[in-house]
Each structure stands twice: as structure tokens, then as C-alpha cells.
Amino acid sequence: AQLRAELMMVEAQRAVCRGLVRLLAGLSLEGHLHIPSSAPQEPVDAKDKWKADGQQLPFNSLAQIFDQRFQCFQMSPYPPPLEYTDYASSMDTSSYKAPMLFK
């Protein structure tokens, strides 16, 4: 019973995190959230290197940064860990309008 309660808590926290990401994406689309110019914005070549302020970042790709940051969660069998491709597709807001993200 305690394990079920802990799993429900993890799932609830995961849902809250997803909601926060959607909120931030919606606020960004509406222009209410300023993304610093030093943040990676667009790919510059096939190696998945990214530009910041017009210069290519000298370090890892965004996929590698994601994998390194969340590597400790890969050991947990449940909930299934988020892959970078899933994260990147969930952050692609090009096909959404802000009100859809706030639902």
C-alpha cells in the first residue's frame, strides 16, 4: 500500500512538472516570458550543435546535455525515464497556439 502511495505521488509530481512546462511554453508563445539571448535557439549543422548569440556553442549538443543532466533517473524503472526525443517533441510549440497550451 505504501508503494502504491509513493507511485501515485511520483505520477502526480510528474504531471505537475509537465503542466509547468506547458505553462512556460504558453507564456513564451504569448510573449510574456523572455528567453535570454544566450539560450540555444536553433540548430546550425547536422551534428546538432547549437548557436547562442550567433556563435556555435563549443560544448555538447542539447541531446548530450539532456542525457547528462538526467542520467541519474535512467536507473529508475518506474516511471519510464523521459528520452531527449520525447522532450524535444513536447517542447516544439510550432503547431500550437498559446490558449491550447493553457488547457
Side-chain angles (χ1 to χ4, degrees), residues 68-79:
Q68 290 168 355
R69 179 171 290 169
F70 298 106
Q71 184 175 16
C72 61
F73 296 108
Q74 300 297 324
M75 295 183 287
S76 175
Y78 190 83

Side-chain angles (χ1 to χ4, degrees), residues 21-35 90-102:
V21 168
R22 289 181 71 155
L23 173 66
L24 293 174
L27 290 174
S28 177
L29 281 176
E30 288 275 306
H32 299 295
L33 182 67
H34 174 69
I35 297 174
S90 70
M91 293 305 297
D92 179 20
T93 57
S94 61
S95 61
Y96 296 100
K97 299 216 183 278
M100 290 177 64
L101 294 172
F102 294 134

Side-chain angles (χ1 to χ4, degrees), residues 44-84:
V44 295
D45 62 21
K47 293 181 182 178
D48 194 28
K49 294 291 182 182
W50 292 70
K51 274 188 178 178
D53 292 332
Q55 296 182 347
Q56 183 173 332
L57 296 176
F59 304 112
N60 298 346
S61 69
L62 290 180
Q64 291 169 330
I65 292 169
F66 180 90
D67 289 341
Q68 290 168 355
R69 179 171 290 169
F70 298 106
Q71 184 175 16
C72 61
F73 296 108
Q74 300 297 324
M75 295 183 287
S76 175
Y78 190 83
L82 184 65
E83 299 288 331
Y84 177 74

